[in-house]
Amino acid sequence: MTSEDLDAWVAAQKKLPRPPTDEELAAFREFLEAPESDVWLHAKKIGALYIKPLEKSRVDIFWFVLGDAVNNLTSQNDKLAELVLKLQRLPDGKGVLGPEPWWSDLPCFNNFWTEWMQFQFDDLSESSRDFEANRQANINRNAFLAKLTARMGNVVDLDQRERGGQTLKQALERTPVSEANILAAEPWITYCADSLYERSLQGGPMSWEHPHNGTNWGTKKGWSKARWQYWRKRFLEISNTVKVKDEVRNVAKECADRMEAVEKARG
């Protein structure tokens, strides 16, 4: 990223209806400019700014800044995911919200993502003036969440597989095929194929399955091995069609192969 790109992004944050303070924005910029090896140091500095009772904390502003960085700063994707992982593990702030460290359950993160980010790029219109930027932002967003999920361990708040399922539904259960949605689905298979397959075998309800969503899958809702296999079949079909770009065909083939390998490994 060039300094000009970062300057423009920082300037845009100052124009938000509820902008970050100069101190908050300076700390975030220092993090963006630092090497990935220093993320832990910057997580401690950034995290300390928000460790207060929730009614006094500006953590909601932090999530807006981070979300916008995820959307727009593609080269920072790995580091942004690492920041959230490091924040969740900070030992600081015990006793402020309860006996556990303040950041342990990532206050307001999942609510923010559902209310402000989850459906931000649904049904992207290719005729839109901002299509290319929104297409990339949607890929960034899904890559970021998949990276968190891949390293979730036992931390429930890092488990974003329900959002991954939503992305896979949009990519594989609708016609005509959306190339943008296929590219957004790819990180979930790259980083989380094993975990998503495990979730499919467990079964149970899947979030955001509403009648108006539209699906070619059928009437049986929820996670299932059969639905996983349908997704794999759709990736393979898309990889063999001439109606999509080479990039999309290649991504679809890689996803189908990865899913097949996971199934075979489980026996």
PDB file of all heavy atoms in Angstrom, residues 189 193-194 197 228 232 253-267:
ATOM      1  N   ILE A 189     -13.506 -22.166   1.707  1.00  0.00           N
ATOM      2  CA  ILE A 189     -13.038 -23.513   1.386  1.00  0.00           C
ATOM      3  C   ILE A 189     -11.527 -23.603   1.569  1.00  0.00           C
ATOM      4  O   ILE A 189     -10.995 -24.598   2.057  1.00  0.00           O
ATOM      5  CB  ILE A 189     -13.446 -23.901  -0.044  1.00  0.00           C
ATOM      6  CG1 ILE A 189     -14.979 -23.787  -0.209  1.00  0.00           C
ATOM      7  CG2 ILE A 189     -12.975 -25.306  -0.376  1.00  0.00           C
ATOM      8  CD1 ILE A 189     -15.772 -24.641   0.771  1.00  0.00           C
ATOM      9  N   ALA A 193     -12.315 -25.573   5.063  1.00  0.00           N
ATOM     10  CA  ALA A 193     -13.041 -26.707   4.499  1.00  0.00           C
ATOM     11  C   ALA A 193     -13.274 -27.798   5.539  1.00  0.00           C
ATOM     12  O   ALA A 193     -14.388 -28.339   5.659  1.00  0.00           O
ATOM     13  CB  ALA A 193     -12.292 -27.269   3.288  1.00  0.00           C
ATOM     14  N   ASP A 194     -12.255 -28.148   6.300  1.00  0.00           N
ATOM     15  CA  ASP A 194     -12.397 -29.200   7.313  1.00  0.00           C
ATOM     16  C   ASP A 194     -13.456 -28.824   8.348  1.00  0.00           C
ATOM     17  O   ASP A 194     -14.313 -29.647   8.707  1.00  0.00           O
ATOM     18  CB  ASP A 194     -11.066 -29.451   8.010  1.00  0.00           C
ATOM     19  CG  ASP A 194     -10.037 -30.090   7.087  1.00  0.00           C
ATOM     20  OD1 ASP A 194     -10.078 -31.311   6.936  1.00  0.00           O
ATOM     21  OD2 ASP A 194      -9.214 -29.361   6.522  1.00  0.00           O
ATOM     22  N   TYR A 197     -16.969 -28.821   6.878  1.00  0.00           N
ATOM     23  CA  TYR A 197     -17.448 -30.189   6.686  1.00  0.00           C
ATOM     24  C   TYR A 197     -17.894 -30.782   8.018  1.00  0.00           C
ATOM     25  O   TYR A 197     -18.935 -31.447   8.109  1.00  0.00           O
ATOM     26  CB  TYR A 197     -16.357 -31.053   6.056  1.00  0.00           C
ATOM     27  CG  TYR A 197     -16.810 -32.447   5.694  1.00  0.00           C
ATOM     28  CD1 TYR A 197     -17.917 -32.653   4.865  1.00  0.00           C
ATOM     29  CD2 TYR A 197     -16.138 -33.567   6.176  1.00  0.00           C
ATOM     30  CE1 TYR A 197     -18.348 -33.931   4.521  1.00  0.00           C
ATOM     31  CE2 TYR A 197     -16.540 -34.850   5.829  1.00  0.00           C
ATOM     32  CZ  TYR A 197     -17.650 -35.024   5.010  1.00  0.00           C
ATOM     33  OH  TYR A 197     -18.064 -36.289   4.672  1.00  0.00           O
ATOM     34  N   TRP A 228     -23.599 -30.105   1.767  1.00  0.00           N
ATOM     35  CA  TRP A 228     -22.167 -29.970   1.474  1.00  0.00           C
ATOM     36  C   TRP A 228     -21.849 -30.589   0.109  1.00  0.00           C
ATOM     37  O   TRP A 228     -21.141 -30.000  -0.710  1.00  0.00           O
ATOM     38  CB  TRP A 228     -21.371 -30.647   2.583  1.00  0.00           C
ATOM     39  CG  TRP A 228     -19.929 -30.921   2.257  1.00  0.00           C
ATOM     40  CD1 TRP A 228     -19.432 -32.015   1.606  1.00  0.00           C
ATOM     41  CD2 TRP A 228     -18.797 -30.098   2.550  1.00  0.00           C
ATOM     42  NE1 TRP A 228     -18.070 -31.935   1.486  1.00  0.00           N
ATOM     43  CE2 TRP A 228     -17.647 -30.765   2.052  1.00  0.00           C
ATOM     44  CE3 TRP A 228     -18.627 -28.875   3.200  1.00  0.00           C
ATOM     45  CZ2 TRP A 228     -16.375 -30.243   2.193  1.00  0.00           C
ATOM     46  CZ3 TRP A 228     -17.349 -28.357   3.328  1.00  0.00           C
ATOM     47  CH2 TRP A 228     -16.239 -29.030   2.829  1.00  0.00           C
ATOM     48  N   ARG A 232     -20.368 -28.933  -3.358  1.00  0.00           N
ATOM     49  CA  ARG A 232     -19.214 -29.452  -4.095  1.00  0.00           C
ATOM     50  C   ARG A 232     -19.581 -29.708  -5.554  1.00  0.00           C
ATOM     51  O   ARG A 232     -18.809 -29.371  -6.470  1.00  0.00           O
ATOM     52  CB  ARG A 232     -18.696 -30.737  -3.447  1.00  0.00           C
ATOM     53  CG  ARG A 232     -17.573 -31.396  -4.245  1.00  0.00           C
ATOM     54  CD  ARG A 232     -16.880 -32.497  -3.486  1.00  0.00           C
ATOM     55  NE  ARG A 232     -17.779 -33.530  -3.012  1.00  0.00           N
ATOM     56  CZ  ARG A 232     -18.289 -34.510  -3.780  1.00  0.00           C
ATOM     57  NH1 ARG A 232     -18.008 -34.555  -5.087  1.00  0.00           N
ATOM     58  NH2 ARG A 232     -19.074 -35.427  -3.263  1.00  0.00           N
ATOM     59  N   LYS A 253     -12.883 -25.037  -9.508  1.00  0.00           N
ATOM     60  CA  LYS A 253     -12.258 -26.359  -9.576  1.00  0.00           C
ATOM     61  C   LYS A 253     -11.415 -26.623  -8.321  1.00  0.00           C
ATOM     62  O   LYS A 253     -11.468 -27.720  -7.740  1.00  0.00           O
ATOM     63  CB  LYS A 253     -11.358 -26.433 -10.812  1.00  0.00           C
ATOM     64  CG  LYS A 253     -10.637 -27.784 -11.002  1.00  0.00           C
ATOM     65  CD  LYS A 253     -11.613 -28.934 -11.222  1.00  0.00           C
ATOM     66  CE  LYS A 253     -10.947 -30.176 -11.780  1.00  0.00           C
ATOM     67  NZ  LYS A 253      -9.894 -30.698 -10.896  1.00  0.00           N
ATOM     68  N   GLU A 254     -10.663 -25.641  -7.884  1.00  0.00           N
ATOM     69  CA  GLU A 254      -9.856 -25.793  -6.677  1.00  0.00           C
ATOM     70  C   GLU A 254     -10.731 -26.052  -5.455  1.00  0.00           C
ATOM     71  O   GLU A 254     -10.393 -26.875  -4.599  1.00  0.00           O
ATOM     72  CB  GLU A 254      -8.992 -24.547  -6.466  1.00  0.00           C
ATOM     73  CG  GLU A 254      -7.878 -24.394  -7.497  1.00  0.00           C
ATOM     74  CD  GLU A 254      -7.200 -23.038  -7.426  1.00  0.00           C
ATOM     75  OE1 GLU A 254      -7.596 -22.225  -6.552  1.00  0.00           O
ATOM     76  OE2 GLU A 254      -6.288 -22.787  -8.241  1.00  0.00           O
ATOM     77  N   CYS A 255     -11.855 -25.368  -5.374  1.00  0.00           N
ATOM     78  CA  CYS A 255     -12.769 -25.559  -4.249  1.00  0.00           C
ATOM     79  C   CYS A 255     -13.386 -26.957  -4.276  1.00  0.00           C
ATOM     80  O   CYS A 255     -13.460 -27.634  -3.239  1.00  0.00           O
ATOM     81  CB  CYS A 255     -13.866 -24.498  -4.265  1.00  0.00           C
ATOM     82  SG  CYS A 255     -13.308 -22.834  -3.806  1.00  0.00           S
ATOM     83  N   ALA A 256     -13.825 -27.395  -5.447  1.00  0.00           N
ATOM     84  CA  ALA A 256     -14.398 -28.736  -5.569  1.00  0.00           C
ATOM     85  C   ALA A 256     -13.373 -29.795  -5.185  1.00  0.00           C
ATOM     86  O   ALA A 256     -13.695 -30.754  -4.464  1.00  0.00           O
ATOM     87  CB  ALA A 256     -14.899 -28.958  -6.992  1.00  0.00           C
ATOM     88  N   ASP A 257     -12.147 -29.641  -5.639  1.00  0.00           N
ATOM     89  CA  ASP A 257     -11.094 -30.603  -5.312  1.00  0.00           C
ATOM     90  C   ASP A 257     -10.793 -30.610  -3.819  1.00  0.00           C
ATOM     91  O   ASP A 257     -10.584 -31.675  -3.218  1.00  0.00           O
ATOM     92  CB  ASP A 257      -9.816 -30.266  -6.091  1.00  0.00           C
ATOM     93  CG  ASP A 257      -9.936 -30.558  -7.574  1.00  0.00           C
ATOM     94  OD1 ASP A 257     -10.907 -31.234  -7.979  1.00  0.00           O
ATOM     95  OD2 ASP A 257      -9.065 -30.089  -8.345  1.00  0.00           O
ATOM     96  N   ARG A 258     -10.751 -29.431  -3.219  1.00  0.00           N
ATOM     97  CA  ARG A 258     -10.469 -29.337  -1.783  1.00  0.00           C
ATOM     98  C   ARG A 258     -11.578 -30.012  -0.980  1.00  0.00           C
ATOM     99  O   ARG A 258     -11.307 -30.744  -0.016  1.00  0.00           O
ATOM    100  CB  ARG A 258     -10.341 -27.871  -1.379  1.00  0.00           C
ATOM    101  CG  ARG A 258     -10.171 -27.630   0.113  1.00  0.00           C
ATOM    102  CD  ARG A 258      -8.771 -27.908   0.579  1.00  0.00           C
ATOM    103  NE  ARG A 258      -8.630 -27.590   1.986  1.00  0.00           N
ATOM    104  CZ  ARG A 258      -8.431 -28.500   2.948  1.00  0.00           C
ATOM    105  NH1 ARG A 258      -8.303 -29.779   2.654  1.00  0.00           N
ATOM    106  NH2 ARG A 258      -8.316 -28.136   4.206  1.00  0.00           N
ATOM    107  N   MET A 259     -12.806 -29.788  -1.362  1.00  0.00           N
ATOM    108  CA  MET A 259     -13.939 -30.394  -0.658  1.00  0.00           C
ATOM    109  C   MET A 259     -13.926 -31.914  -0.795  1.00  0.00           C
ATOM    110  O   MET A 259     -14.179 -32.648   0.167  1.00  0.00           O
ATOM    111  CB  MET A 259     -15.249 -29.809  -1.178  1.00  0.00           C
ATOM    112  CG  MET A 259     -15.416 -28.327  -0.865  1.00  0.00           C
ATOM    113  SD  MET A 259     -16.886 -27.584  -1.629  1.00  0.00           S
ATOM    114  CE  MET A 259     -18.173 -28.152  -0.496  1.00  0.00           C
ATOM    115  N   GLU A 260     -13.612 -32.386  -1.985  1.00  0.00           N
ATOM    116  CA  GLU A 260     -13.535 -33.832  -2.201  1.00  0.00           C
ATOM    117  C   GLU A 260     -12.431 -34.433  -1.332  1.00  0.00           C
ATOM    118  O   GLU A 260     -12.598 -35.518  -0.749  1.00  0.00           O
ATOM    119  CB  GLU A 260     -13.286 -34.140  -3.668  1.00  0.00           C
ATOM    120  CG  GLU A 260     -13.256 -35.634  -3.982  1.00  0.00           C
ATOM    121  CD  GLU A 260     -13.037 -35.931  -5.459  1.00  0.00           C
ATOM    122  OE1 GLU A 260     -12.488 -35.053  -6.160  1.00  0.00           O
ATOM    123  OE2 GLU A 260     -13.415 -37.017  -5.885  1.00  0.00           O
ATOM    124  N   ALA A 261     -11.287 -33.746  -1.246  1.00  0.00           N
ATOM    125  CA  ALA A 261     -10.179 -34.262  -0.446  1.00  0.00           C
ATOM    126  C   ALA A 261     -10.557 -34.346   1.026  1.00  0.00           C
ATOM    127  O   ALA A 261     -10.182 -35.301   1.734  1.00  0.00           O
ATOM    128  CB  ALA A 261      -8.957 -33.342  -0.626  1.00  0.00           C
ATOM    129  N   VAL A 262     -11.303 -33.369   1.516  1.00  0.00           N
ATOM    130  CA  VAL A 262     -11.736 -33.387   2.909  1.00  0.00           C
ATOM    131  C   VAL A 262     -12.652 -34.565   3.167  1.00  0.00           C
ATOM    132  O   VAL A 262     -12.526 -35.281   4.171  1.00  0.00           O
ATOM    133  CB  VAL A 262     -12.439 -32.062   3.266  1.00  0.00           C
ATOM    134  CG1 VAL A 262     -13.160 -32.166   4.605  1.00  0.00           C
ATOM    135  CG2 VAL A 262     -11.433 -30.910   3.307  1.00  0.00           C
ATOM    136  N   GLU A 263     -13.597 -34.806   2.246  1.00  0.00           N
ATOM    137  CA  GLU A 263     -14.500 -35.942   2.400  1.00  0.00           C
ATOM    138  C   GLU A 263     -13.728 -37.271   2.420  1.00  0.00           C
ATOM    139  O   GLU A 263     -13.992 -38.141   3.255  1.00  0.00           O
ATOM    140  CB  GLU A 263     -15.523 -35.957   1.255  1.00  0.00           C
ATOM    141  CG  GLU A 263     -16.569 -34.854   1.351  1.00  0.00           C
ATOM    142  CD  GLU A 263     -17.590 -34.980   0.242  1.00  0.00           C
ATOM    143  OE1 GLU A 263     -18.271 -36.018   0.153  1.00  0.00           O
ATOM    144  OE2 GLU A 263     -17.696 -34.034  -0.577  1.00  0.00           O
ATOM    145  N   LYS A 264     -12.797 -37.415   1.509  1.00  0.00           N
ATOM    146  CA  LYS A 264     -12.030 -38.665   1.433  1.00  0.00           C
ATOM    147  C   LYS A 264     -11.182 -38.861   2.693  1.00  0.00           C
ATOM    148  O   LYS A 264     -11.020 -39.982   3.180  1.00  0.00           O
ATOM    149  CB  LYS A 264     -11.148 -38.662   0.208  1.00  0.00           C
ATOM    150  CG  LYS A 264     -11.927 -38.839  -1.105  1.00  0.00           C
ATOM    151  CD  LYS A 264     -10.984 -38.860  -2.297  1.00  0.00           C
ATOM    152  CE  LYS A 264     -11.764 -39.120  -3.594  1.00  0.00           C
ATOM    153  NZ  LYS A 264     -10.860 -39.126  -4.783  1.00  0.00           N
ATOM    154  N   ALA A 265     -10.646 -37.782   3.224  1.00  0.00           N
ATOM    155  CA  ALA A 265      -9.819 -37.882   4.425  1.00  0.00           C
ATOM    156  C   ALA A 265     -10.624 -38.328   5.642  1.00  0.00           C
ATOM    157  O   ALA A 265     -10.083 -38.993   6.542  1.00  0.00           O
ATOM    158  CB  ALA A 265      -9.160 -36.531   4.722  1.00  0.00           C
ATOM    159  N   ARG A 266     -11.898 -37.975   5.639  1.00  0.00           N
ATOM    160  CA  ARG A 266     -12.759 -38.377   6.768  1.00  0.00           C
ATOM    161  C   ARG A 266     -13.289 -39.811   6.600  1.00  0.00           C
ATOM    162  O   ARG A 266     -13.864 -40.360   7.535  1.00  0.00           O
ATOM    163  CB  ARG A 266     -13.946 -37.401   6.863  1.00  0.00           C
ATOM    164  CG  ARG A 266     -13.574 -36.026   7.330  1.00  0.00           C
ATOM    165  CD  ARG A 266     -13.061 -36.046   8.778  1.00  0.00           C
ATOM    166  NE  ARG A 266     -14.081 -36.542   9.682  1.00  0.00           N
ATOM    167  CZ  ARG A 266     -14.958 -35.765  10.325  1.00  0.00           C
ATOM    168  NH1 ARG A 266     -14.884 -34.439  10.169  1.00  0.00           N
ATOM    169  NH2 ARG A 266     -15.869 -36.275  11.131  1.00  0.00           N
ATOM    170  N   GLY A 267     -13.153 -40.368   5.386  1.00  0.00           N
ATOM    171  CA  GLY A 267     -13.591 -41.746   5.146  1.00  0.00           C
ATOM    172  C   GLY A 267     -15.083 -41.885   4.918  1.00  0.00           C
ATOM    173  O   GLY A 267     -15.839 -40.956   4.970  1.00  0.00           O
TER     174      GLY A 267
END
